Structure formats: C-alpha cells, structure tokens
Amino acid sequence: MPVISRESLLTLEAYARQRGDLRARVIDHKRHRTVHVGPHVTLLFEDELTVRYQIQEMLRIERVFEDQAIRAELDAYTPLVPDGTNLKATMMIEFEDPEQRRIELSRLKGIERRVYLQVGSLPKIFAIADEDLERENDEKTSAVHFLRFEFDPGAIAAFRGGSAVAAGIDHPNYSQRIDALPPDSRAALARDFA
C-alpha cells in the first residue's frame, strides 16, 4: 500500500502551484468513495490520495514548514489510510439546523459502533470507531467519527470477486441500509485491499 512520508509531501510552494489540479482530481475521486447511509449519515472512505490531500491542505492553511509540525500532521492523519485488510472512513452526521443537530446527537449516542458493511451473505463487519480518541460523552455523540472496518481473507475475496456490498446502521434511533453499493463505489473500495 502507498505510504505518505515526509519526503513524499510537496513543499508549500509546489503545492500552491498544483493545488487547483489536485483539488479537482480529489473531488472527482471522492465521488466514488462517498456513501450516504440514509438522509443524515455520510461515509467518506479514505485512501492514500484523500489523506495526502488533507495533510497538504492542513500544511497550507497552517503555513507549516517545520519538520516537527509536519510529522505531527502525518501522525494525526496517516492512520486513516487503509493498510490492505481494512476500509477506513470518516463518518459525518449531518443535520442543517443547529438545534435539531444538538437533539439528534444526544439521541444517536453509540451510533458509531452500529455502522456496518456486509459482503454478500457473510456476517456483518461492524466498525471499530474512534481509535485515536473518544468522541462521545455522557450527553451526546460527535458529528464526526473515524471508522475502521476489518475484513478477514474470505470477506476480501468475496468483495473482490464481485459480491454485493451492503452498508448500514442498526442504531435504535437510526436504522438504515443500502443493500448494494453502486458498482463504481464497490470497485473503488476494492482497490484498498492489498
């Protein structure tokens, strides 16, 4: 799997020159890696390109060029790159109205642990959520979570072999399921396996 290293990042100047083209490429790339699970949850499946772009954007916004600060950004974001046996996603819970969002985030505590993928008729693969830090407290869950779906060799083979891939959430206050990801999305995610 591709690795994002300090040496592989563009300098701020080089990134500024390439930013427009890279941004357009990433937007197009994300179209096939974005899955809406019902009206209020979006999963963006990360990979080397999406994470590299995020790191370059953070360095640009924060005007970071010191080695230690660059390494801190790498440490924060590179765990989001799949390692060949898993898929990793940023989960966003989306409600436009701030008051409704506040209410729903309290009703949806624990939702991040009830997100799953299912390959064909194999058992559901539930997300391992927020390994970097806890994003839920006694009152509510966060609007953003980071998920890892760990696949065994049989599930990877079935995924690559063309089995339908379902995505769903079985939380008591938010139950949604997509029976089959679109072919373009399934093909894009299949490339994340080594």
Side-chain angles (χ1 to χ4, degrees):
M1 302 303 292
V3 176
I4 304 171
S5 66
R6 166 71 182 96
E7 298 71 31
S8 72
L9 294 172
L10 297 170
T11 65
L12 292 179
E13 297 82 10
Y15 182 65
R17 288 190 297 274
Q18 297 179 31
R19 184 172 180 251
D21 290 340
L22 182 58
R23 183 174 188 276
R25 183 173 150 221
V26 170
I27 288 170
D28 184 58
H29 182 73
K30 285 181 178 182
R31 281 186 314 116
H32 303 297
R33 301 184 68 81
T34 301
V35 175
H36 300 283
V37 186
H40 300 292
V41 173
T42 299
L43 301 176
L44 170 59
F45 287 90
E46 306 287 0
D47 69 354
E48 187 270 342
L49 179 61
T50 65
V51 172
R52 178 179 296 279
Y53 176 72
Q54 182 64 34
I55 292 169
Q56 292 282 182
E57 279 293 297
M58 293 305 295
L59 297 176
R60 181 188 76 81
I61 291 166
E62 297 173 5
R63 298 280 183 225
V64 171
F65 56 88
E66 290 109 7
D67 198 53
Q68 184 176 1
I70 292 170
R71 292 201 185 281
E73 294 293 338
L74 284 165
D75 290 345
Y77 288 101
T78 56
L80 294 174
V81 178
D83 65 16
T85 63
N86 51 44
L87 297 175
K88 297 184 180 181
T90 300
M91 179 177 99
M92 295 157 282
I93 303 171
E94 303 165 313
F95 291 91
E96 282 189 38
D97 178 67
E99 182 59 21
Q100 182 186 14
R101 182 172 44 249
R102 185 188 65 73
I103 292 166
E104 294 299 331
L105 290 177
S106 85
R107 292 181 67 239
L108 294 174
K109 281 182 58 177
I111 190 172
E112 65 277 10
R113 293 180 298 279
R114 302 310 307 162
V115 181
Y116 65 86
L117 297 175
Q118 185 175 21
V119 182
S121 60
L122 295 173
K124 293 176 181 174
I125 300 166
F126 282 91
I128 300 163
D130 303 324
E131 295 175 283
D132 58 339
L133 60 97
E134 186 62 41
R135 289 187 165 76
E136 179 179 279
N137 61 36
D138 291 338
E139 284 109 45
K140 66 178 183 69
T141 192
S142 174
V144 177
H145 295 276
F146 299 102
L147 310 179
R148 175 170 57 93
F149 300 90
E150 199 63 43
F151 287 72
D152 65 29
I156 292 172
F159 197 121
R160 285 182 160 166
S163 291
V165 179
I169 301 171
D170 69 359
H171 187 276
N173 294 320
Y174 194 86
S175 181
Q176 299 285 332
R177 180 179 167 96
I178 300 166
D179 287 327
L181 298 181
D184 289 345
S185 295
R186 195 180 58 67
L189 298 182
R191 291 190 284 273
D192 291 350
F193 297 113

Short mmCIF file of all heavy atoms in Angstrom, two decimals, residues 114-143:
data_model
loop_
_atom_site.label_atom_id
_atom_site.label_comp_id
_atom_site.label_asym_id
_atom_site.label_seq_id
_atom_site.Cartn_x
_atom_site.Cartn_y
_atom_site.Cartn_z
N ARG A 114 -22.43 1.10 15.58
CA ARG A 114 -23.51 0.32 14.96
C ARG A 114 -23.50 0.45 13.43
O ARG A 114 -24.45 0.06 12.77
CB ARG A 114 -24.87 0.78 15.51
CG ARG A 114 -25.01 0.65 17.03
CD ARG A 114 -24.63 -0.69 17.59
NE ARG A 114 -25.35 -1.78 16.93
CZ ARG A 114 -24.98 -3.06 16.97
NH1 ARG A 114 -23.90 -3.42 17.63
NH2 ARG A 114 -25.68 -3.97 16.34
N VAL A 115 -22.41 0.97 12.89
CA VAL A 115 -22.26 1.09 11.43
C VAL A 115 -21.60 -0.20 10.94
O VAL A 115 -20.66 -0.70 11.56
CB VAL A 115 -21.38 2.30 11.07
CG1 VAL A 115 -21.23 2.45 9.56
CG2 VAL A 115 -21.94 3.59 11.68
N TYR A 116 -22.09 -0.73 9.84
CA TYR A 116 -21.53 -1.99 9.35
C TYR A 116 -21.45 -2.02 7.83
O TYR A 116 -22.12 -1.27 7.13
CB TYR A 116 -22.36 -3.19 9.83
CG TYR A 116 -23.77 -3.23 9.28
CD1 TYR A 116 -24.04 -3.83 8.05
CD2 TYR A 116 -24.84 -2.68 9.98
CE1 TYR A 116 -25.33 -3.87 7.53
CE2 TYR A 116 -26.13 -2.71 9.48
CZ TYR A 116 -26.37 -3.31 8.25
OH TYR A 116 -27.64 -3.34 7.74
N LEU A 117 -20.60 -2.90 7.35
CA LEU A 117 -20.56 -3.31 5.95
C LEU A 117 -20.83 -4.80 5.93
O LEU A 117 -20.50 -5.51 6.89
CB LEU A 117 -19.18 -3.01 5.33
CG LEU A 117 -18.78 -1.54 5.29
CD1 LEU A 117 -17.35 -1.41 4.76
CD2 LEU A 117 -19.74 -0.73 4.43
N GLN A 118 -21.44 -5.29 4.85
CA GLN A 118 -21.71 -6.71 4.74
C GLN A 118 -21.46 -7.15 3.31
O GLN A 118 -22.02 -6.58 2.36
CB GLN A 118 -23.15 -7.03 5.14
CG GLN A 118 -23.45 -8.52 5.14
CD GLN A 118 -24.85 -8.82 5.66
OE1 GLN A 118 -25.73 -7.98 5.65
NE2 GLN A 118 -25.04 -10.06 6.10
N VAL A 119 -20.59 -8.12 3.14
CA VAL A 119 -20.23 -8.64 1.83
C VAL A 119 -21.07 -9.89 1.57
O VAL A 119 -20.97 -10.88 2.31
CB VAL A 119 -18.72 -8.97 1.75
CG1 VAL A 119 -18.36 -9.46 0.36
CG2 VAL A 119 -17.88 -7.77 2.14
N GLY A 120 -21.92 -9.81 0.55
CA GLY A 120 -22.79 -10.94 0.23
C GLY A 120 -23.59 -11.36 1.44
O GLY A 120 -24.17 -10.52 2.15
N SER A 121 -23.62 -12.65 1.72
CA SER A 121 -24.36 -13.16 2.88
C SER A 121 -23.45 -13.43 4.08
O SER A 121 -23.87 -14.04 5.06
CB SER A 121 -25.11 -14.45 2.50
OG SER A 121 -24.17 -15.44 2.09
N LEU A 122 -22.20 -12.96 4.00
CA LEU A 122 -21.27 -13.13 5.12
C LEU A 122 -21.73 -12.29 6.31
O LEU A 122 -22.54 -11.38 6.16
CB LEU A 122 -19.86 -12.71 4.68
CG LEU A 122 -19.22 -13.58 3.59
CD1 LEU A 122 -17.91 -12.96 3.12
CD2 LEU A 122 -19.01 -15.00 4.10
N PRO A 123 -21.20 -12.57 7.50
CA PRO A 123 -21.59 -11.77 8.67
C PRO A 123 -21.26 -10.28 8.50
O PRO A 123 -20.31 -9.92 7.79
CB PRO A 123 -20.76 -12.38 9.80
CG PRO A 123 -20.41 -13.75 9.33
CD PRO A 123 -20.28 -13.66 7.84
N LYS A 124 -22.03 -9.46 9.14
CA LYS A 124 -21.78 -8.01 9.12
C LYS A 124 -20.43 -7.71 9.76
O LYS A 124 -20.04 -8.36 10.74
CB LYS A 124 -22.87 -7.27 9.91
CG LYS A 124 -24.24 -7.35 9.27
CD LYS A 124 -25.28 -6.69 10.16
CE LYS A 124 -26.66 -6.79 9.55
NZ LYS A 124 -27.71 -6.28 10.46
N ILE A 125 -19.76 -6.72 9.20
CA ILE A 125 -18.49 -6.24 9.75
C ILE A 125 -18.77 -4.89 10.38
O ILE A 125 -18.99 -3.89 9.68
CB ILE A 125 -17.42 -6.12 8.64
CG1 ILE A 125 -17.19 -7.50 8.00
CG2 ILE A 125 -16.13 -5.54 9.20
CD1 ILE A 125 -16.41 -7.45 6.69
N PHE A 126 -18.82 -4.85 11.71
CA PHE A 126 -19.12 -3.61 12.41
C PHE A 126 -17.86 -2.76 12.54
O PHE A 126 -16.75 -3.28 12.70
CB PHE A 126 -19.73 -3.89 13.78
CG PHE A 126 -21.18 -4.27 13.69
CD1 PHE A 126 -21.55 -5.60 13.58
CD2 PHE A 126 -22.17 -3.30 13.68
CE1 PHE A 126 -22.89 -5.96 13.46
CE2 PHE A 126 -23.51 -3.64 13.57
CZ PHE A 126 -23.87 -4.98 13.46
N ALA A 127 -18.05 -1.46 12.50
CA ALA A 127 -16.94 -0.52 12.57
C ALA A 127 -16.28 -0.54 13.94
O ALA A 127 -16.95 -0.68 14.97
CB ALA A 127 -17.44 0.89 12.28
N ILE A 128 -14.98 -0.38 13.92
CA ILE A 128 -14.20 -0.07 15.12
C ILE A 128 -14.05 1.45 15.07
O ILE A 128 -13.50 1.99 14.10
CB ILE A 128 -12.84 -0.79 15.10
CG1 ILE A 128 -13.06 -2.30 15.03
CG2 ILE A 128 -12.00 -0.38 16.31
CD1 ILE A 128 -11.84 -3.09 14.61
N ALA A 129 -14.58 2.13 16.07
CA ALA A 129 -14.71 3.59 15.98
C ALA A 129 -13.71 4.33 16.86
O ALA A 129 -13.40 3.88 17.97
CB ALA A 129 -16.13 4.00 16.37
N ASP A 130 -13.26 5.45 16.33
CA ASP A 130 -12.53 6.45 17.11
C ASP A 130 -11.38 5.87 17.92
O ASP A 130 -11.30 6.04 19.13
CB ASP A 130 -13.50 7.21 18.02
CG ASP A 130 -14.63 7.86 17.23
OD1 ASP A 130 -14.37 8.33 16.10
OD2 ASP A 130 -15.76 7.90 17.73
N GLU A 131 -10.47 5.22 17.24
CA GLU A 131 -9.33 4.62 17.93
C GLU A 131 -8.34 5.66 18.45
O GLU A 131 -7.55 5.37 19.33
CB GLU A 131 -8.62 3.64 17.00
CG GLU A 131 -9.51 2.46 16.65
CD GLU A 131 -8.88 1.53 15.65
OE1 GLU A 131 -8.87 1.85 14.45
OE2 GLU A 131 -8.40 0.47 16.09
N ASP A 132 -8.41 6.87 17.89
CA ASP A 132 -7.46 7.91 18.32
C ASP A 132 -7.89 8.60 19.60
O ASP A 132 -7.08 8.91 20.46
CB ASP A 132 -7.24 8.94 17.21
CG ASP A 132 -8.54 9.62 16.77
OD1 ASP A 132 -9.64 9.06 17.00
OD2 ASP A 132 -8.45 10.71 16.18
N LEU A 133 -9.20 8.85 19.76
CA LEU A 133 -9.72 9.48 20.97
C LEU A 133 -11.22 9.32 21.04
O LEU A 133 -11.88 9.10 20.04
CB LEU A 133 -9.33 10.96 21.07
CG LEU A 133 -9.80 11.91 19.96
CD1 LEU A 133 -11.06 12.64 20.37
CD2 LEU A 133 -8.69 12.93 19.69
N GLU A 134 -11.76 9.42 22.23
CA GLU A 134 -13.21 9.27 22.45
C GLU A 134 -13.92 10.51 21.92
O GLU A 134 -13.53 11.63 22.21
CB GLU A 134 -13.48 9.09 23.94
CG GLU A 134 -14.91 8.78 24.27
CD GLU A 134 -15.42 7.48 23.67
OE1 GLU A 134 -14.67 6.49 23.67
OE2 GLU A 134 -16.56 7.47 23.18
N ARG A 135 -14.96 10.28 21.12
CA ARG A 135 -15.71 11.39 20.54
C ARG A 135 -17.16 11.41 21.04
O ARG A 135 -18.02 11.96 20.40
CB ARG A 135 -15.66 11.30 19.02
CG ARG A 135 -14.29 11.63 18.48
CD ARG A 135 -14.28 11.72 16.97
NE ARG A 135 -13.08 12.37 16.52
CZ ARG A 135 -11.89 11.80 16.48
NH1 ARG A 135 -11.74 10.56 16.88
NH2 ARG A 135 -10.84 12.47 16.06
N GLU A 136 -17.38 10.78 22.16
CA GLU A 136 -18.72 10.73 22.74
C GLU A 136 -18.58 11.04 24.22
O GLU A 136 -17.59 10.69 24.84
CB GLU A 136 -19.28 9.31 22.54
CG GLU A 136 -20.65 9.10 23.11
CD GLU A 136 -21.13 7.67 22.84
OE1 GLU A 136 -21.60 7.42 21.73
OE2 GLU A 136 -21.01 6.85 23.76
N ASN A 137 -19.57 11.75 24.76
CA ASN A 137 -19.57 11.99 26.20
C ASN A 137 -20.92 11.57 26.78
O ASN A 137 -21.71 10.93 26.09
CB ASN A 137 -19.21 13.46 26.51
CG ASN A 137 -20.21 14.44 25.92
OD1 ASN A 137 -21.41 14.18 25.85
ND2 ASN A 137 -19.71 15.58 25.47
N ASP A 138 -21.18 11.92 28.02
CA ASP A 138 -22.42 11.48 28.67
C ASP A 138 -23.67 12.06 28.01
O ASP A 138 -24.74 11.47 28.11
CB ASP A 138 -22.41 11.88 30.15
CG ASP A 138 -21.40 11.07 30.94
OD1 ASP A 138 -21.02 9.98 30.48
OD2 ASP A 138 -20.97 11.54 32.02
N GLU A 139 -23.52 13.21 27.35
CA GLU A 139 -24.70 13.87 26.77
C GLU A 139 -24.94 13.56 25.30
O GLU A 139 -26.08 13.54 24.85
CB GLU A 139 -24.59 15.39 26.93
CG GLU A 139 -24.89 15.87 28.33
CD GLU A 139 -23.63 16.35 29.01
OE1 GLU A 139 -22.86 17.07 28.37
OE2 GLU A 139 -23.41 15.98 30.17
N LYS A 140 -23.85 13.38 24.53
CA LYS A 140 -24.05 13.28 23.08
C LYS A 140 -22.86 12.59 22.41
O LYS A 140 -21.80 12.42 23.00
CB LYS A 140 -24.23 14.66 22.46
CG LYS A 140 -22.99 15.54 22.55
CD LYS A 140 -23.21 16.87 21.90
CE LYS A 140 -21.97 17.74 21.91
NZ LYS A 140 -20.91 17.27 21.04
N THR A 141 -23.10 12.24 21.14
CA THR A 141 -22.01 11.76 20.31
C THR A 141 -21.51 12.93 19.48
O THR A 141 -22.15 13.98 19.41
CB THR A 141 -22.46 10.59 19.41
OG1 THR A 141 -21.31 9.99 18.83
CG2 THR A 141 -23.42 11.03 18.32
N SER A 142 -20.39 12.76 18.85
CA SER A 142 -19.83 13.79 17.97
C SER A 142 -20.48 13.72 16.60
O SER A 142 -21.02 12.67 16.21
CB SER A 142 -18.31 13.55 17.84
OG SER A 142 -17.75 14.43 16.89
N ALA A 143 -20.40 14.80 15.85
CA ALA A 143 -20.92 14.81 14.48
C ALA A 143 -19.94 14.15 13.51
O ALA A 143 -20.30 13.85 12.38
CB ALA A 143 -21.23 16.23 14.04
#
